[in-house]
Amino acid sequence: MLSAPAPTVSSIRTVAFASAIGATIEWYDFFLYGVVTPLVFNKLFFPNFDPIVGTLLAYTTFFVGFISRPIGGIIFGHYGDRIGRRTILVITLIIMGLATFLIGLLPTYESIGVWAPALLLILRILQGIGIGGEWGGAVLMAVEHSPERQRGFYGSWPQIGVPAGLLLSSGVVALLSLLSDATFLAWGWRVAFLLSAVLVIVGLYIRLKVLETPAFALFKETGKQAKVPFLDLLRTHPRNVLLGLGARYIEGVTFNIFGVFIIAYVTTALGMTRQVALGAVIIASLIMIVMLPIYGMLSDRYGRRILFGVGSLVIGILVFPAFWLMQTHSPALIWIAVAVPFALVYPAVYGPQAALFSELFDTRVRYSGASFIYQFSGIFASGLTPIIATELLRIGDKAPWYICLYVFVVSLISAACVYAMRDAHRRDMTVDAAPDPLTQGSP
């Protein structure tokens, strides 16, 4: 009988570190677009509109990246389940880095007219396709290399790439914002995108040193790879797919409210400086990097569902006092208002998420399943959130309470979905799981 080799502590730590670094670079590229959108793209690529309308149009191109993410998830999930995780991670890193670098070279609307936003849109689509294949592979490299009772901890390491990427992108933009407004808009913002070339070289060097996961290597020896993994996924795991989509709702909404929309809210609705808004995100990201592995470790002890569900509900409650504190216009209180729900509670959801979603599926369709849940839910949970929040702010006459109510309702949906899942944090990931009830016992 075939058995997976037990990875050594040093190899697991190497894989976890490589996953975190690679994910950080990919998310830097993706989030940089969101950070720069309300500061630059609305002015340089959509200049002939009212500021709010221009911001909405710029956020629409931001949203397109989330529409293309499921495409990347399906394409790269297919090959990740057929040929392996490692090769796909190298390809996605190159796609992301190239698209981000080219955004830094784009001429503006003033230079080439409507071609400027059109080209921006195309490159954003490529970013979405690249990140669509990235997340599933990065978390599986960590989770499938991990010992059974430490999957939550090591699976949280690629999750660190999100706050680290946001921290890096926000930090770079904050430094460049020290330039005069004219200089920042003329060329300063481009530096942040062009830096991606250096980061990608570092990421490729690290990723090429990591071996294929033991779970997939063992499965590949059987020669039982699905011809079309995505179709197999829908046939054999429909219930877990639906519950995963619902569970991730609060995670995507929380991140894009406090990590993306908050920049536009603080600078426009509250009339504060870019530095105050970016400072809140930077502080929260620093704390989150520490909290993610802590919550990942706790999920190994107490279970993913408990941590994820409680975290969802607490976020839904805390969003009200958080936005109330922001009305004080005090930079320190704004930082606290963002940090408590985003840095201290959100990691209880995002930290265990990699292991939670990975454990929902068999090795045969695991890359496709985890990627599809994460990327397809990104359309409504992440990409639409800044647009919805901006519109709710307009309806509320710049008062944030409709936004808070929206987050609260989403938290209830996600908590219900995660509690409806089976507890699988002790399952053996090298063997098939029990059949999904919705398939009526189909293999």
Side-chain angles (χ1 to χ4, degrees):
M1 180 177 178
L2 295 172
S3 61
T8 64
V9 173
S10 59
S11 70
I12 293 169
R13 289 176 177 172
T14 300
V15 169
F17 177 73
S19 295
I21 295 297
T24 297
I25 295 167
E26 294 260 12
W27 286 114
Y28 167 83
D29 289 350
F30 196 76
F31 290 144
L32 182 61
Y33 193 102
V35 173
V36 171
T37 290
L39 304 178
V40 175
F41 292 156
N42 57 337
K43 301 179 180 68
L44 298 185
F45 291 85
F46 303 94
N48 296 331
F49 297 93
D50 173 84
I52 292 181
V53 176
T55 299
L56 277 171
L57 289 172
Y59 273 141
T60 300
T61 61
F62 174 75
F63 170 58
V64 166
F66 288 90
I67 294 179
S68 59
R69 277 168 58 170
I71 298 173
I74 293 172
I75 293 172
F76 293 117
H78 174 90
Y79 290 105
D81 281 327
R82 285 190 58 80
I83 65 176
R85 296 31 170 144
R86 179 177 176 270
T87 302
I88 299 306
L89 285 175
V90 172
I91 295 173
T92 57
L93 185 61
I94 293 172
I95 292 174
M96 279 294 293
L98 182 61
T100 304
F101 182 79
L102 291 177
I103 288 175
L105 299 178
L106 273 183
T108 64
Y109 187 94
E110 184 179 0
S111 300
I112 59 173
V114 294
W115 282 105
L119 291 172
L120 182 65
L121 187 67
I122 291 171
L123 292 175
R124 181 59 177 174
I125 290 172
L126 288 176
Q127 277 194 325
I129 290 174
I131 203 69
E134 156 67 21
W135 185 84
V139 301
L140 291 188
M141 285 296 288
V143 170
E144 290 184 345
H145 270 284
S146 301
E148 178 184 314
R149 295 181 180 273
Q150 292 182 288
R151 289 198 296 256
F153 174 69
Y154 286 113
S156 69
W157 278 74
Q159 303 294 73
I160 290 173
V162 167
L166 183 62
L167 172 65
L168 192 57
S169 59
S170 300
V172 168
V173 174
L175 285 175
L176 293 171
S177 292
L178 296 176
L179 300 169
S180 67
D181 286 347
T183 303
F184 180 75
L185 288 173
W187 58 265
W189 66 274
R190 296 182 183 276
V191 174
F193 287 88
L194 297 178
L195 279 175
S196 178
V198 178
L199 297 177
V200 167
I201 292 172
V202 174
L204 284 175
Y205 174 77
I206 294 173
R207 255 185 193 169
L208 288 171
K209 298 172 78 69
V210 177
L211 299 177
E212 185 56 81
T213 71
F216 183 80
L218 175 64
F219 173 73
K220 193 173 182 180
E221 288 182 28
T222 69
K224 294 181 179 179
Q225 294 98 317
K227 290 184 179 180
V228 185
F230 181 66
L231 296 181
D232 251 32
L233 168 73
L234 298 182
R235 181 176 62 85
T236 59
H237 296 78
R239 180 177 183 272
N240 284 348
V241 168
L242 291 174
L243 292 178
L245 291 173
R248 191 183 171 250
Y249 201 174
I250 187 62
E251 184 267 301
V253 166
T254 304
F255 185 88
N256 284 276
I257 288 290
F258 289 104
V260 177
F261 170 75
I262 204 69
I263 296 173
Y265 177 74
V266 170
T267 55
T268 57
L270 298 183
M272 307 291 284
T273 64
R274 285 195 300 259
Q275 283 73 20
V276 171
L278 291 170
V281 175
I282 290 170
I283 291 170
S285 298
L286 280 169
I287 299 171
M288 198 187 305
I289 289 172
V290 177
M291 297 305 297
L292 282 169
I294 292 175
Y295 280 117
M297 184 170 54
L298 290 174
S299 78
D300 286 322
R301 177 173 298 183
Y302 301 110
R304 332 277 184 226
R305 293 165 59 250
I306 293 175
L307 228 59
F308 197 111
V310 171
S312 298
L313 295 174
V314 173
I315 289 170
I317 295 169
L318 285 179
V319 68
F320 290 94
F323 272 92
W324 176 79
L325 268 182
M326 292 182 209
Q327 310 308 304
T328 63
H329 290 75
S330 163
L333 291 180
I334 289 174
W335 293 343
I336 292 172
V338 173
V340 172
F342 193 39
L344 298 179
V345 182
Y346 170 76
V349 172
Y350 197 61
Q353 183 174 260
L356 177 71
F357 289 173
S358 299
E359 290 163 348
L360 290 175
F361 307 106
D362 304 329
T363 308
R364 179 182 174 90
V365 295
R366 189 171 293 136
Y367 201 134
S368 296
S371 294
F372 182 73
I373 285 176
Y374 192 81
Q375 308 305 346
F376 186 78
S377 63
I379 295 176
F380 59 86
S382 300
L384 279 176
T385 295
I387 297 174
I388 292 172
T390 302
E391 181 60 18
L392 290 175
L393 192 64
R394 186 190 67 79
I395 294 172
D397 194 24
K398 294 189 177 182
W401 312 122
Y402 286 129
I403 297 173
C404 296
L405 183 60
Y406 174 67
V407 175
F408 178 71
V409 172
V410 169
S411 74
L412 296 179
I413 294 171
S414 291
C417 287
V418 78
Y419 285 133
M421 294 177 180
R422 290 191 187 88
D423 193 327
H425 76 288
R426 297 294 190 208
R427 68 165 290 194
D428 183 350
M429 295 185 70
T430 63
V431 300
D432 290 344
D436 190 318
L438 291 187
T439 65
Q440 298 180 339
S442 62

